[in-house]
């Protein structure tokens, strides 16, 4: 039985987010307020099959405490996806997820990500190859309601016919990016298709969920099996805590120190600037937060961050 079937209902997933859900962030989440499932950032299957493999494979670093964990991969090349899935399997991941939702221009231009919504034949071939590479490991797809118009009926029904283990549905079309609110009624519609076409496929709803309580309510109202949280984590790093508790300034500072220390230890070669986007997540909503953040923005090392935060 694949791991998705063993999860509580509804379950909560931290969404894959490029330059956010790296090894370090996932580790901090696993230590403090762990979701039921973690995803890696999306990793290029072409990159994993290239001479630059060592750079891309860092996205697939994980620890035991992050399990169950799903590796997300993307490409338009079925052969690269097949071989990358075999690699993901060797690395011991619980699942492999195919990105069929990314709206990035470069990704679309290659015919990958959300462009696959316009190419059912290639999407089918890709799913078949990933399933073949996966052996028994869980296979899922993360996608949207359509590319430039909502085609939930055709697209989600088509995905369900491929008999995959889970589908995460971001309730938007690709060309709208995040400008309009997510359409959860369309996500609910997908659940009715699922019940008819492939009852074993789990449906995970995604888009604009701002709190754990809202997630529970949405799971009830829209009948999804799980809720996926992306940007909500920036507003509350303890998003997945159940029951929810209040956290004070010291808790936030402790988490930021933990994050920064592990970031430098893990990625000494990575640009420290990437760390800076997290300062806003931890240092806000208290007296003096703005000034403190401004000072942190000048830092280039853990030691400097520590000096500012520990007085
Ligand atoms: C910074 C950032 C990076 C993202 N990177 C990925 C990615 O690598 N793969 C993916 O499938 N979606 C990616 N997404 C989309 C999210 O997984 C999610 O679908 C989207 O943010 C909507 O959920 P939300 O309203 O809870 O944020 C990214 C989103 C953000 C904000």
């Amino acid at each position: 039985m694949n791991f998705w079937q063993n999860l509580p209902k509804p379950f909560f997933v931290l969404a894959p987010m490029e330059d956010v859900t790296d090894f370090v962030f996932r580790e901090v989440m696993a230590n403090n307020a762990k979701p039921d499932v973690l995803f890696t950032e999306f990793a290029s299957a072409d990159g994993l099959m290239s001479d630059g493999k060592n750079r891309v494979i860092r996205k697939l670093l994980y620890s035991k405490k992050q399990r169950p964990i799903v590796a997300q991969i993307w490409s338009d090349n079925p052969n690269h996806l097949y071989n990358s899935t075999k690699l993901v399997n060797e690395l011991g991941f619980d699942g492999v997820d195919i990105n069929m939702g990314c709206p990035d221009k470069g990704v679309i231009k290659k015919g990958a990500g959300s462009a696959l919504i316009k190419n059912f034949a290639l999407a089918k071939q890709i799913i078949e190859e990933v399933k073949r590479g996966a052996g028994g490991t869980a296979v899922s797809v993360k996608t949207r309601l359509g590319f430039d118009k909502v085609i939930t009926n055709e697209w989600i029904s088509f995905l369900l016919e491929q008999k995959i283990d889970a589908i995460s549905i971001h309730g938007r079309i690709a060309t709208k990016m995040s400008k309009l609110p997510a359409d959860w009624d369309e996500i609910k519609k997908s659940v009715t298709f699922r019940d008819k076409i492939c009852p074993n496929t789990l449906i995970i709803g995604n888009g604009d969920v701002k709190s754990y309580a809202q997630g529970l309510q949405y799971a009830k109202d829209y009948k999804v099996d799980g809720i996926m949280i992306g940007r909500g984590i920036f507003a509350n790093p303890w998003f997945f805590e159940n029951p929810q508790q209040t956290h004070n300034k010291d808790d936030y500072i402790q988490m930021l120190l933990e994050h920064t220390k592990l970031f430098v230890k893990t990625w000494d070669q990575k640009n420290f600037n990437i760390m800076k986007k997290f300062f806003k997540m931890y240092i806000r909503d208290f007296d003096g937060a703005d000034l403190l953040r401004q000072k942190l923005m000048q830092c280039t090392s853990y030691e400097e961050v520590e000096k500012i935060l520990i007085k």
Side-chain angles (χ1 to χ4, degrees), residues 29-207:
M29 290 296 113
N31 284 338
N32 292 280
K34 194 183 170 193
D36 296 303
V37 184
L38 282 157
F39 272 58
T40 66
E41 310 162 76
F42 75 161
S44 159
D46 302 347
L48 288 169
M49 295 301 124
S50 73
D51 292 344
K53 172 183 172 173
N54 288 346
R55 209 166 24 85
V56 184
I57 209 167
R58 292 188 307 195
K59 294 191 179 198
L60 302 184
L61 192 64
Y62 73 96
S63 73
K64 271 200 188 121
K65 70 168 85 135
Q66 295 175 16
R67 295 183 69 180
I69 180 159
V70 176
Q72 194 190 57
I73 52 178
W74 71 275
S75 172
D76 64 325
N77 182 319
N79 187 41
H80 287 173
L81 284 159
Y82 166 75
N83 284 311
S84 296
T85 302
K86 289 217 310 201
L87 174 68
V88 163
N89 247 351
E90 278 161 30
L91 294 172
F93 277 88
D94 297 287
V96 58
D97 186 82
I98 313 163
N99 182 309
M100 296 197 181
C102 182
D104 178 85
K105 279 201 188 91
V107 172
I108 289 175
K109 209 168 154 195
K110 275 183 67 66
S114 62
L116 288 165
I117 305 176
K118 295 189 293 183
N119 191 345
F120 284 29
L122 182 58
K124 187 178 167 70
Q125 203 190 341
I126 282 174
I127 293 170
E128 276 166 10
E129 285 305 282
V130 168
K131 273 184 161 181
R132 195 163 69 85
T137 303
V139 173
S140 55
V141 165
K142 181 167 178 286
T143 191
R144 292 177 177 249
L145 302 173
F147 182 77
D148 50 10
K149 57 179 189 293
V150 174
I151 53 161
T152 318
N153 196 341
E154 300 92 313
W155 173 239
I156 303 295
S157 299
F158 160 80
L159 287 178
L160 286 161
E161 280 157 12
Q162 311 313 310
K163 297 194 172 22
I164 45 184
D165 297 304
I167 307 176
S168 303
I169 307 174
H170 180 186
R172 290 191 173 87
I173 58 173
T175 51
K176 284 278 165 17
M177 307 292 274
S178 287
K179 279 176 213 128
L180 291 177
D183 188 342
W184 278 79
D185 287 326
E186 288 295 319
I187 296 176
K188 188 176 180 180
K189 223 196 244 174
S190 309
V191 178
T192 60
F193 299 150
R194 184 276 309 275
D195 294 346
K196 282 194 207 113
I197 300 169
C198 191
N200 288 334
T201 301
L202 299 185
I203 301 287
I204 302 156
N206 171 235

Side-chain angles (χ1 to χ4, degrees), residues 269-284:
Q269 72 279 42
K270 239 189 179 184
N271 189 343
F272 194 79
N273 282 335
I274 290 177
M275 193 57 227
K276 292 186 180 172
K277 75 157 72 93
F278 295 101
F279 291 164
K280 202 167 175 195
M281 171 170 156
Y282 299 111
I283 306 296
R284 56 196 199 93

Side-chain angles (χ1 to χ4, degrees), residues 15-18 20 41-42 72 99 142 170 172 206-209 228-232 234:
M17 284 187 281
E18 167 84 334
V20 177
E41 310 162 76
F42 75 161
Q72 194 190 57
N99 182 309
K142 181 167 178 286
H170 180 186
R172 290 191 173 87
N206 171 235
D208 302 341
V209 176
M228 179 179 269
I229 304 300
R231 292 159 301 166
F234 299 123

